[in-house]
């Protein structure tokens, strides 16, 4: 049987543009059909924006890549209409174990907070992730959404002009050009677009190599995350074991810097290591083996005129904490509604500068967290190693030391504190839903709150009157009213009301809070909407 | 001279029997090699830091030790 990553999902097909007398102009061109480019395409198309997606390949991701997807991206995927297949296929886990040397120092159970539709995260192979996104593209195409996904269309040149961008594209049938009002560059860590435009990519390369192996195993290992510091089978280094769907296990073995990558990758060298780790009796087959060097870096600016960078093209982090695809989806979540408002003339061009500001802030947060994990896992000095080992030793006996152990901090949603788009706040309301934060889920009488939010500006009304629909300069704001029963729920009180008994929240199309008040006031909402759309 | 700001870190004598404590501190390291002593000190710092808990006090303590 052909595997999903070997199946062309969007094979090359000649486009009319290739026979046009002069380059055809498109409103938006997305470069790259990885998870982030596909996310951008679905988001824009769902808003009715025609979008062309160019990819130099025609298949899903190849090899061992992302496996861990966090709650916030799952919520974004719900808004994009493809959360269910991911969660249905994915593996959910709650227990983690930490080993130091020969011994297990502790186990933890991630007690989920009640009333969230989505779990803290799922494990799912990136190729399934991309497959479900391509299926979603196909489904919305059937419904008439204007997405044109062009496989084997490689961007080889880019020229930026004041009011458009010109792209050179290479196909199996020769080259052609198209023009775009806007380009979203999601062409991955090696971003040819970034290089073609001569842009920087600054940061820190960690001098470390990791052997990443995906093995198919018939084992009754429990569905847990196991992390080893300095294990007997990989002395002085770390190791990670994590379950994926279909009986596939992800194994990360830290190798250190001065190694021969080709040698280490050979099955005769890999298999003994894995046997030492999994036990002599474990029966396994190698699906993939690769060696990665990780880096933490980002572009200085994500916006360059009419070219907007997102995902790995804009920033890269080490994989501890699963922040790559997770943060990339937050990029396009942030970008697409802004781009549409600017394209429709409902917001000034400067709204797109806030994409840069907000997501650079997000990238810096991710880079900081990944760097901290890396510094704990791979101590850079003798003293750093002494403290790391002391922390692990103490964690065996004392609870207090466990939060200090850092084997990767899971990606949590970014709050855009200090963003110029943030409006009025009420200090007596909960901190977690302050302006700039994503809304927090809750169970309501009409379904999950997150399912009722997003895709447009909305006013969430809790225990107080708000008009059903408002319009300000072409932008509509729809009400989402909680019923009396929901307004009295302790979860709503805890997540939205704090010390107040009523609340009105203005939410952005990306489900982030723009402003909040105790009561509805038309003028205040109008002002906050102007602020949230850079309209002054 | 740096102006003394009134911080939260207690820098006035606060240990009941200083000589007893000092003796215990040395005694606990007895018979240990440098590596083991370094490890013990690190554990001790972490235990004490957790007991203090307050981020401002800890920050002042870190700076006081480095000064
Ligand atoms: C071992 C490993 C483990 C990871 N684990 C996680 C994890 O658990 N969770 C997580 O969130 N992230 C993880 N990541 C990171 C994650 O894989 C990336 O962040 C994610 O793939 C980025 O998506 P993207 O769409 O930005 O880029 P990519 O997936 O790299 O996609 C870029 C696309 O652009 C196309 N392209 C490139 N050049 C051109 C061109 N010239 N013209 C047209 N198209 C072009 C490529 O064909 C490709 O399809 C991991 C990565 C690795 C390597």
């Amino acid at each position: 049987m052909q595997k999903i990553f070997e199946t062309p999902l969007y094979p090359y097909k000649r486009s009319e543009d290739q026979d046009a007398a002069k380059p055809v102009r498109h409103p938006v061109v997305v470069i790259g059909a990885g998870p982030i480019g596909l996310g951008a395409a679905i988001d824009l198309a769902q808003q009715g924006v025609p979008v062309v997606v160019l990819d130099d390949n025609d298949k899903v991701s190849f090899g061992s890549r992302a496996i861990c997807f966090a709650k916030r991206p799952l919520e974004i995927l719900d808004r994009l209409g493809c959360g269910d297949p991911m969660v249905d296929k994915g593996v959910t886990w709650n227990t983690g174990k930490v080993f130091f040397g020969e011994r297990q120092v502790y186990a933890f159970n991630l007690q989920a907070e009640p009333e969230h539709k989505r779990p803290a995260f799922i494990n799912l192979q990136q190729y399934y992730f991309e497959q479900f996104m391509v299926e979603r593209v196909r489904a919305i195409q059937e419904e008439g959404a204007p997405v044109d996904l062009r496989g084997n269309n490689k961007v080889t040149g880019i020229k930026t002009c004041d009011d458009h961008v010109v792209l050179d594209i290479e196909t199996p049938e020769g080259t052609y050009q198209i023009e775009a009002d806007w380009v979203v560059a999601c062409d991955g860590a090696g971003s040819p677009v970034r290089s073609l435009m001569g842009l920087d990519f600054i940061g820190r390369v960690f001098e470390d190599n990791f052997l990443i192996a995906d093995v198919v195993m018939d084992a009754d290992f429990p569905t847990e995350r196991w992390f080893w510091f300095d294990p007997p089978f990989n002395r002085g280094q770390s190791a990670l074991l994590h379950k994926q769907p279909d009986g596939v296990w992800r194994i990360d073995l830290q190798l250190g810097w001065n190694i021969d990558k080709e040698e280490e990758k050979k099955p005769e060298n890999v298999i003994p290591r894995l046997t030492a780790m999994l036990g002599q009796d474990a029966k396994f087959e190698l699906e993939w083996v690769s060696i990665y060097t990780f880096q933490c870096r980002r572009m200085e600016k994500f916006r360059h005129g009419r070219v907007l960078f997102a995902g790995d093209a804009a920033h890269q982090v080490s994989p501890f904490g699963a922040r790559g695809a997770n943060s990339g989806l937050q990029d396009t979540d942030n970008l697409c509604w802004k781009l549409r408002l600017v394209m429709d003339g409902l917001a000034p061009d400067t709204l797109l500068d806030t994409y840069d500001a907000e997501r650079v802030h997000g990238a810096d947060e991710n880079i900081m967290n990944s760097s901290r994990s890396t510094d704990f896992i791979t101590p850079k000095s003798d003293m750093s190693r002494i403290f790391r080992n002391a922390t692990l030793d103490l964690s065996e006996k004392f609870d207090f030391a466990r939060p200090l152990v850092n084997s990767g901090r899971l990606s949590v949603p970014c709050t855009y504190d200090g963003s110029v788009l943030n409006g009025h706040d009420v200090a007596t309301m909960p901190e977690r839903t302050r302006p700039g934060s994503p809304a927090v889920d809750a169970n309501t009488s009409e379904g999950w709150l997150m399912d009722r939010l997003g895709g447009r500006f909305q006013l969430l009304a809790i225990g107080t009157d708000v008009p059903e629909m408002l319009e300000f300069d072409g932008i509509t704001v729809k009400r989402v009213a909680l019923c009396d029963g929901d307004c009295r729920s302790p979860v709503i009180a805890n997540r939205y009301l704090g010390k107040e008994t009523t609340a009105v929240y203005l939410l952005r199309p990306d489900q982030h809070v723009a402003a909040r008040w105790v009561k509805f006031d038309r003028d205040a909402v109008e002002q906050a909407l102007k602020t949230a759309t850079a309209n002054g | 001279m740096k102006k003394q700001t009134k911080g939260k870190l207690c820098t006035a004598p606060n240990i009941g029997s200083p000589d007893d404590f000092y003796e215990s501190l040395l005694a606990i390291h007895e018979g240990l090699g440098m590596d083991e002593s370094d490890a013990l000190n690190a554990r001790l710092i972490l235990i004490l830091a957790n007991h203090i808990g307050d981020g401002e006090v800890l920050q002042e303590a870190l700076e006081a030790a480095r000064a």
Side-chain angles (χ1 to χ4, degrees), chain A residues 303 334-335 337-342 346-356 358 421 457 530-535:
Chain A
R303 176 181 186 194
N334 187 290
L335 173 63
W337 65 271
K338 295 178 179 174
L339 190 53
R340 193 192 64 92
L341 285 179
V342 172
L346 295 172
D349 175 85
T350 50
L351 180 60
L352 293 172
D353 294 333
T354 70
Y355 162 66
D356 180 77
E358 292 185 337
L421 303 185
F457 277 97
K530 280 194 169 143
T531 302
T533 52
N535 275 308

Side-chain angles (χ1 to χ4, degrees), chain A residues 69 107 109 116 162 170 193 196 279 306 312 347 358 374 394 399 402 412 428 446 501 511-512 521:
Chain A
F69 296 96
N109 194 346
H116 288 274
D162 274 352
E170 205 175 273
V193 173
L196 288 167
R306 293 182 165 263
D312 278 14
E358 292 185 337
T374 309
L394 290 169
D399 284 347
R402 294 175 189 174
V412 291
T428 44
E446 287 172 58
T501 49
Q511 300 168 326
H512 280 252
D521 172 350

Side-chain angles (χ1 to χ4, degrees), chain A residues 286-355:
Chain A
L286 297 177
E287 188 177 52
W288 307 98
V289 178
S290 2
I291 291 181
Y292 286 97
T293 303
F294 291 110
Q295 348 218 303
C296 279
R297 51 185 187 171
R298 68 161 168 87
M299 295 179 74
E300 198 189 332
K301 288 192 334 208
F302 296 175
R303 176 181 186 194
H304 289 267
R306 293 182 165 263
V307 183
L308 300 136
F309 289 85
D312 278 14
H315 47 73
Q316 257 187 296
V317 290
S318 67
F320 305 109
R323 286 159 193 278
N326 284 322
S327 67
L329 279 174
Q330 293 178 59
D331 291 345
T332 52
D333 188 45
N334 187 290
L335 173 63
C336 291
W337 65 271
K338 295 178 179 174
L339 190 53
R340 193 192 64 92
L341 285 179
V342 172
M343 292 174 75
D344 289 353
L346 295 172
D349 175 85
T350 50
L351 180 60
L352 293 172
D353 294 333
T354 70
Y355 162 66

Side-chain angles (χ1 to χ4, degrees), chain A residues 1 13 52 54 56 58 120 138 157 168 242 255 303 363 371 446 489 505 520-521:
Chain A
M1 201 187 79
K13 247 180 57 196
V52 174
L54 305 171
D56 63 351
D58 58 2
R138 297 301 179 217
D168 299 319
H242 221 172
L255 295 178
R303 176 181 186 194
S371 303
E446 287 172 58
S489 120
Y505 278 74
F520 172 72
D521 172 350

Side-chain angles (χ1 to χ4, degrees), chain A residues 264-447:
Chain A
E264 291 289 349
K265 254 193 338 204
K266 290 185 179 158
E268 65 260 37
N269 292 322
V270 174
I271 290 170
R273 274 183 188 279
L274 299 186
T275 306
M277 176 175 178
L278 302 169
Q280 295 296 332
D281 305 329
K283 287 198 179 39
F284 60 85
E285 257 177 69
L286 297 177
E287 188 177 52
W288 307 98
V289 178
S290 2
I291 291 181
Y292 286 97
T293 303
F294 291 110
Q295 348 218 303
C296 279
R297 51 185 187 171
R298 68 161 168 87
M299 295 179 74
E300 198 189 332
K301 288 192 334 208
F302 296 175
R303 176 181 186 194
H304 289 267
R306 293 182 165 263
V307 183
L308 300 136
F309 289 85
D312 278 14
H315 47 73
Q316 257 187 296
V317 290
S318 67
F320 305 109
R323 286 159 193 278
N326 284 322
S327 67
L329 279 174
Q330 293 178 59
D331 291 345
T332 52
D333 188 45
N334 187 290
L335 173 63
C336 291
W337 65 271
K338 295 178 179 174
L339 190 53
R340 193 192 64 92
L341 285 179
V342 172
M343 292 174 75
D344 289 353
L346 295 172
D349 175 85
T350 50
L351 180 60
L352 293 172
D353 294 333
T354 70
Y355 162 66
D356 180 77
E358 292 185 337
R359 292 312 301 160
V360 161
H361 170 75
D364 284 345
E365 207 172 85
N366 285 324
I367 289 172
M368 178 188 77
N369 279 300
S370 297
S371 303
R372 285 176 172 178
S373 301
T374 309
D375 287 340
F376 191 89
I377 293 163
T378 314
K380 303 290 183 294
S381 69
D382 291 339
M383 195 39 75
S384 162
R385 182 173 296 277
I386 288 168
F387 274 115
R388 201 277 309 266
N389 291 349
T391 305
L392 288 167
D393 277 331
L394 290 169
S395 73
E396 189 173 4
K397 267 186 280 172
F398 302 111
D399 284 347
F400 88 80
R402 294 175 189 174
L404 295 171
V405 174
N406 190 341
S407 67
R409 299 272 183 247
L410 192 87
S411 164
V412 291
C414 179
T415 294
Y416 304 128
D417 279 324
S419 170
V420 296
L421 303 185
N422 293 348
H424 189 267
D425 191 15
V426 179
T428 44
M429 288 183 180
E431 204 193 327
R432 69 192 288 186
T433 41
R434 66 190 183 277
S437 324
V440 181
D441 211 353
N443 206 348
T444 74
S445 58
E446 287 172 58

Side-chain angles (χ1 to χ4, degrees), chain A residues 31-37 54-57 64-69 126 130 153-155 186-188 192 212 250 292 294 310-312 319 322-326:
Chain A
I31 306 176
I36 312 312
L54 305 171
D55 197 279
D56 63 351
N57 201 319
S64 302
R65 296 189 74 196
I67 62 162
C68 210
F69 296 96
Q126 185 161 337
E130 292 183 21
N153 272 245
K154 181 179 180 174
V155 174
C186 309
D187 51 344
I212 313 279
R250 165 66 53 88
Y292 286 97
F294 291 110
D312 278 14
R323 286 159 193 278
N326 284 322

